Each structure stands twice: as C-alpha cells, then as structure tokens.
Amino acid sequence: MKPLERDTIVKVLNRAASVLSVSLVAALSLAACGTDSAAPSAAPTAGSSESSVTGTLSGAGASSQDAAMQAWIAGFGAANPEASVQYSPDGSGAGREALLAGGVQFAGSDAYLDDEETAAAAEVCGPDGAIHVPVYISPIAVAFNLPGITDLNLDADTIAAIFRGEVTTWNDPAIAAQNEGVELPDTAITAVHRGDESGTTKNFTEYLAEAAPEKWTDKASGEWPAGLPNGESASGTGGVISTVTSTEGGITYADASAAGSLGKVSVKVGDTYVPFSADAAALAVESSTPVTGEGRPEADMAMDLDRDTAESGAYPVVLVSYHVFCTSYEDQQTVDLVRAFGDYVVSDEGQAAASDAAGSAPLSESLRSKAETALESIQVRS
C-alpha cells in the first residue's frame, strides 16, 4: 500500500464542511479505506429498522451528484442511525485522485477511470482494482441567459461553434435559422466552461466530438481545451451556473438539476429537437456499450454512450455518474458499510430520493440488477 498523499487529503479536508469531525480525521488516518468504528457488522437491507452497520464512510468527487448525494445521505442515515456518510463535491477529477491516494473510501465521478487510473487502482484497492457502479443518470443542460427567451433549438454543429467562439452573437444566422419567430438580440455570446477537471466536461465534449466532428476537432476530455476564444471559466457546477446567471448573453453546460430558471436548449436529434428530461436521458443510456480492457473487473459497469444517436426522443447530452469503489477493503466492517450504502443508493427508495431531489432518471431494472451484483462482489482484502 502506498502512503497517503498529504496534499490530496488536505484538499479533501479543507473543502468538506463536515471534515472537522473527529471521526473523519480518524477515518482518513487509516491505511487505504479503513473506517473509524471498531466492531464488524452485517450489512442490512435498505430501509432495515434494526441496522447494525456502524462507522463513517468518506467520499469526494462529482459536484453534479451533490443534490442527489444529500438525499442519499439523509435517507441512508435514517435507516442506519449508527452510520454516516460524508461527501465533498470537489469535482470528478479530484474525487478520483482522492480515491487513488487512499484518502477516501469512494469517489463520485461523471467519467470512468482511464487506463492509467485503472492501473493505479490496483495498487490502492487490491489486485482487482476499482469498480464503477452507475448511480445517477442525468441530462446535461445547455443553459443560457437571454431575458425573455426560455427555450431555443440548436443542433450539435451550432453548439460546437458557439463554444469554439465561431458564433459570437445571439442573432447569428446559424441560430436564427433554427428558431423561426424568436426575436433574437444582437447580444454578445459569453461561453462559460468548467475551469476544473470535470466529468461533466468529459461528457459534454464527448457529445460534441461525436455529434459534430467537423466542428469540434478536439478530443473529448475532462479538461477544457486550451486556447479557445470567447470563453470564461468557473469552478464547479455552481460556479458556471452563477457566472451565466449574472452574465446576460452567457451560455454553459451543467447538470440539469442546477440549471434553475436559465433558458434551456432543445438539442437536434435526427430530424427533431429534443428538450432534456429524465426519460429522454434514460433512453439515451439504454443504447450504451460496456467499457472493456485490461485491469477492469468482470462486474465493472463503466459504459460508453452513443452520442450521435438518431433515436427519436433520446437526449444524448447526458452523463452517467458513478460511485467508484475499491473491489476490496481491509476489514469486514468497511465492506459492510460500503455495500450497505451502495445498496441503498441503487434501490428503488434511493433512486426515487435522487429523482425527487435532482430530477435524475432512475436506474432501469436491468441496470439496478447489475449494480446489486457488482456491489455483492466487493470483499475483504486477503
């Protein structure tokens, strides 16, 4: 086991409001994913009234999950009064970094581990590495601030041109041609992107690269391409939404649950324009394909989405956000705690709580069954 990386842990401690508690400090001082409670216990079923799960589970990562996470923390805590979960929404990249440093027991991430991270996970999590469990399916809203305009139609090429700085005013012919009857102003466009490494950026740029390959020539990445004109950056989902809210003519991409009263784009799919919704996002996910490769456990659920789908009613600007767990932990108590929380999150109750809090799409029965199997595979490290 590699030593914990002090800078990463300090970053997690500084950003999480709850990390001043003695229990979390103790948890983080353990080697690779231990907990701060002593007695092992059996994991209860979700909603058990006689839960014996104890301890503190620490996580960090995707800010897109934050509203759902607060609902999960509350629901799990009500069912398991001797256990608690603490989560720092520092961004997907920071969450994966913290997990791979041994600073947290799980990461929330809108992007799956790449090959290098997968190899690193084997050193922290045991020889089988880490496992992805999809927990949160949500459309990514393309949201804008134009007083008096609440909806616009845009195709992938136009969205790409806007974020590349090639379409610079709202009354540009490329926008006007898709929005007949809308009185578009000559307001300058300010495209706002995430300045931190972000799974939302990874999903958004995957959409642009696949659906508008002639316009978006950069590779999909969690980091925004350097050097693009006509843009501003902000940190986190809250940062980009706040910037656009205060900037007339602004436009950004963010988890739909955070878009609030901003205008929303309906995205062209085939011959129609599809507004975002939980159902439309779920439809896009159904056509996903599993990620395969060396070092990925058999039960792993990382997936690639078809961003260039022409399926009627599907909304392809969507993210699947994961909880990334180790496939093994050092003691039974940690395994019980991880599995109990994971089971609650993917349960009907947990998914309904996320849907109510964040407008996410509940997992399909097929995905839920696979998620439960994946969680059952988590074991005590031998």
Side-chain angles (χ1 to χ4, degrees), residues 35-76:
T35 67
D36 60 351
S37 182
S41 57
T45 57
S48 170
S49 60
E50 297 183 355
S51 169
S52 56
V53 172
T54 62
T56 298
L57 188 64
S58 58
S63 58
S64 60
Q65 289 186 28
D66 196 32
M69 182 63 73
Q70 299 313 309
W72 290 329
I73 289 172
F76 180 72

Side-chain angles (χ1 to χ4, degrees), residues 6-326:
R6 183 176 302 275
D7 290 345
T8 300
I9 299 172
V10 169
K11 179 180 177 183
V12 174
L13 291 173
N14 285 340
R15 291 185 180 179
S18 57
V19 295
L20 295 177
S21 66
V22 173
S23 61
L24 180 57
V25 174
L28 292 177
S29 68
L30 294 175
C33 309
T35 67
D36 60 351
S37 182
S41 57
T45 57
S48 170
S49 60
E50 297 183 355
S51 169
S52 56
V53 172
T54 62
T56 298
L57 188 64
S58 58
S63 58
S64 60
Q65 289 186 28
D66 196 32
M69 182 63 73
Q70 299 313 309
W72 290 329
I73 289 172
F76 180 72
N80 302 274
E82 299 302 317
S84 63
V85 179
Q86 298 172 325
Y87 184 77
S88 184
D90 300 331
S92 294
R96 297 193 304 274
E97 182 181 341
L99 177 70
L100 297 178
V104 295
Q105 294 154 317
F106 74 97
S109 181
D110 301 338
Y112 55 78
L113 301 181
D114 61 24
D115 290 344
E116 183 178 346
E117 291 169 325
T118 297
E123 300 182 22
V124 177
C125 294
D128 291 330
I131 195 166
H132 301 78
V133 177
V135 295
Y136 181 77
I137 298 171
S138 178
I140 297 172
V142 183
F144 60 88
N145 177 359
L146 286 176
I149 300 176
T150 57
D151 302 284
L152 286 175
N153 295 329
L154 293 176
D155 59 22
D157 282 348
T158 306
I159 296 171
I162 287 171
F163 280 90
R164 292 197 76 83
E166 296 168 7
V167 171
T168 59
T169 61
W170 283 103
N171 63 349
D172 187 283
I175 299 175
Q178 299 176 74
N179 293 278
E180 239 180 277
V182 178
E183 191 172 339
L184 294 164
D186 61 359
T187 307
I189 295 174
T190 301
V192 181
H193 61 267
R194 289 280 291 268
D196 53 330
E197 184 180 354
S198 161
T200 309
T201 297
K202 177 71 178 296
N203 282 272
F204 183 60
T205 56
E206 278 181 359
Y207 163 71
L208 295 177
E210 291 184 30
E214 294 183 2
K215 285 287 184 182
W216 193 266
T217 54
D218 294 282
K219 291 182 178 180
S221 174
E223 296 181 346
W224 193 253
L228 293 185
N230 190 43
E232 292 187 13
S233 66
S235 182
T237 299
V240 294
I241 291 295
S242 176
T243 301
V244 171
T245 299
S246 63
T247 305
E248 187 171 333
I251 186 171
T252 193
Y253 56 92
D255 185 80
S257 65
S261 61
L262 291 171
K264 320 295 192 308
V265 169
S266 294
V267 173
K268 192 172 186 180
V269 177
D271 295 326
T272 62
Y273 291 92
V274 180
F276 75 75
S277 70
D279 288 342
L283 187 59
V285 171
E286 288 303 316
S287 61
S288 65
T289 56
V291 176
T292 58
E294 185 178 352
R296 297 189 184 276
E298 183 178 348
D300 188 49
M301 294 183 67
M303 62 184 74
D304 282 323
L305 301 175
D306 180 9
R307 306 292 186 175
D308 196 22
T309 182
E311 184 168 356
S312 176
Y315 184 85
V317 198
V318 60
L319 65 82
V320 177
S321 200
Y322 303 94
H323 285 171
V324 187
F325 298 108
C326 288

Side-chain angles (χ1 to χ4, degrees), residues 328-350:
S328 65
Y329 293 87
E330 291 192 333
D331 57 77
Q332 187 65 51
Q333 180 222 343
T334 307
V335 171
D336 292 342
L337 186 55
V338 165
R339 288 174 60 178
F341 180 62
D343 284 341
Y344 171 74
V345 168
V346 303
S347 71
D348 286 334
E349 181 182 354

